[in-house]
Amino acid sequence: MRSPMQLIIHCDLATGDVRFLHDDTLAQIVPGEMRTTRASNIVFNHDRQKWEVHLSSGEVVYSSASNRECYGWERRHFNRPPGK
């Protein structure tokens, strides 16, 4: 059984931007069209034999032998309030 999705939302009232992490559950509850942009990707670096978190700019910001640790880092990093 899957655990419920935890959703932490950060809103920038000045620009109207909304940032949050989600899984496929969101597509089932949001009516209408949804547009998303990935903030990062987790890929395996064969040369280094490590998983890496790449920002959309291509910058590697975290790496680990465990992809689970990379996903955990991603959740902690992107769920913190902006500017922290």
Side-chain angles (χ1 to χ4, degrees), residues 44-78:
F44 189 72
N45 182 321
H46 295 277
D47 294 334
R48 295 186 64 221
Q49 291 294 293
K50 290 194 177 232
W51 291 93
E52 298 177 337
V53 180
H54 292 247
L55 296 182
S56 58
S57 66
E59 178 186 4
V60 177
V61 292
Y62 183 79
S63 66
S64 173
S66 164
N67 70 341
R68 179 177 285 182
E69 285 186 26
C70 286
Y71 283 108
W73 181 91
E74 186 182 52
R75 279 189 300 278
R76 289 186 306 277
H77 177 76
F78 289 109

Side-chain angles (χ1 to χ4, degrees), residues 8-37:
I8 299 172
I9 301 174
H10 302 284
C11 301
D12 184 329
L13 297 178
T15 65
D17 289 342
V18 178
R19 286 185 17 207
F20 59 94
L21 294 178
H22 66 86
D23 62 18
D24 292 337
T25 305
L26 186 65
Q28 299 168 12
I29 59 174
V30 173
E33 181 181 342
M34 181 173 67
R35 290 183 287 159
T36 64
T37 303

